Amino acid sequence: MTSTPQSRTPDDRTPDDRTPDERVRGGGVPLGDWLAGGRRQPDLPGPLPDWLRPLVGRARRTSTDRATPGLPVGGSSTVPELGPDGTPPRPSAVLVLLGREQGQDPTVMLTHRTPTLRSHSGQLAFPGGHRESVDADPVATALREATEETGLDPSGVTPLAVLDPLYIDRTNHAVVPVIGWWRRPVPVAPATAESDWVRSVPLSELSDPAKRMYLGIPGTRGWRTPAFDVDGYLLWGFTGALVDGLLKMGEWEQPWTATAPVLDLFDALAQSRNGETLTPEDLL
């Protein structure tokens, strides 16, 4: 689904830089409490649909580094105390939202970040963003951000699992993936200038071996990351690695590695519809 976004927020929200004591006095949730909330798995609503059970069972007990072995350069399952610039990593959360209409294939929600943004421009991404002091835990952050970005009704989403944080050193973010079940889908569309489309992409398309590839960087021996062709857009990086792990954990993956091409990352981006302007210097 594509529609014209409304300009409502700047492209990157400034993180809350107050100390934990200041947040408590201001009525917010201390960062330590937010992180502790991410170490607890959400209560499940009872019996789950058959198509969700393998994923949920593994996601609630599998470490994120095992689930996402193809993280891009600068990605890690180890979150440092300080980032490259000497500041603590900025806590964030993303919503990995799975749904299934009657008689249809399961889907996952993706957004395309507007190519004119200063950060992560042109990338395919899960809805999500920075923690705010009002957020009780990563689930609250993921749902709030997804609602702000897409017009999602959070009451129709059941949180299923919280994965360990993943660290992205290029942006100094510690990102917590939250897996959710979209029990009651509603129409969604870009609600801010951060993205120019929102789509529920069938997992059968993402698992199609013909849509899969590896990306590599010239001169970087031994490194490659999984990627996907989504209607001419290139899904790769943090989000691509998570989707790769999602397909494995949910038992949706088809054999693909033996026939997958290894493409030059920068050539592939240039030929895609993403509008990304990534250069080798950006990864230094």
Side-chain angles (χ1 to χ4, degrees), residues 69-278:
L71 282 174
V73 170
S76 172
S77 59
T78 301
V79 180
E81 291 186 7
L82 297 176
D85 61 358
T87 63
R90 290 180 285 180
S92 307
V94 295
L95 182 63
V96 183
L97 186 59
L98 299 160
R100 188 175 191 178
E101 299 278 4
Q102 184 71 31
Q104 302 295 316
D105 290 334
T107 63
V108 64
M109 180 184 288
L110 295 174
T111 71
H112 178 243
R113 289 181 59 83
T114 306
T116 55
L117 298 181
R118 293 190 301 272
S119 177
H120 308 293
S121 58
Q123 294 181 2
L124 296 193
F126 298 117
H130 297 138
R131 164 195 177 260
E132 293 187 358
S133 61
V134 296
D135 298 332
D137 52 29
V139 170
T141 299
L143 288 174
R144 175 185 54 74
E145 285 282 339
T147 300
E148 293 174 359
E149 289 181 28
T150 71
L152 176 77
D153 178 4
S155 69
V157 175
T158 297
L160 299 175
V162 179
L163 300 181
D164 299 330
L166 291 168
Y167 179 64
I168 311 299
D169 68 358
R170 191 160 61 92
T171 56
N172 198 26
H173 280 83
V175 186
V176 179
V178 175
I179 297 176
W181 172 26
W182 204 5
R183 297 186 336 276
R184 297 193 304 274
V186 297
V188 291
T192 77
E194 292 182 21
S195 59
D196 55 19
W197 59 250
V198 180
R199 298 180 186 173
S200 291
V201 180
L203 296 180
S204 59
E205 293 184 14
L206 293 169
S207 64
D208 181 354
K211 302 288 188 180
R212 305 207 57 179
M213 68 206 76
Y214 286 110
L215 299 178
I217 299 175
T220 306
R221 183 174 299 176
W223 177 87
R224 61 184 186 179
T225 190
F228 305 77
D229 177 357
V230 181
D231 192 25
Y233 293 88
L234 191 65
L235 170 60
W236 72 287
F238 170 85
T239 307
L242 272 179
V243 170
D244 179 63
L246 186 79
L247 295 176
K248 288 183 174 71
M249 290 190 292
E251 300 181 356
W252 296 299
E253 184 179 46
Q254 301 180 43
W256 69 281
T257 56
T259 58
V262 181
L263 306 181
D264 180 300
L265 168 62
F266 305 104
D267 287 347
L269 283 175
Q271 295 172 26
S272 74
R273 301 173 65 186
N274 291 33
E276 290 189 59
T277 57
L278 188 73

Side-chain angles (χ1 to χ4, degrees), residues 1-13:
M1 178 183 299
T2 304
S3 70
T4 302
Q6 302 173 5
S7 296
R8 189 176 60 81
T9 63
D11 68 44
D12 282 306
R13 187 174 290 107

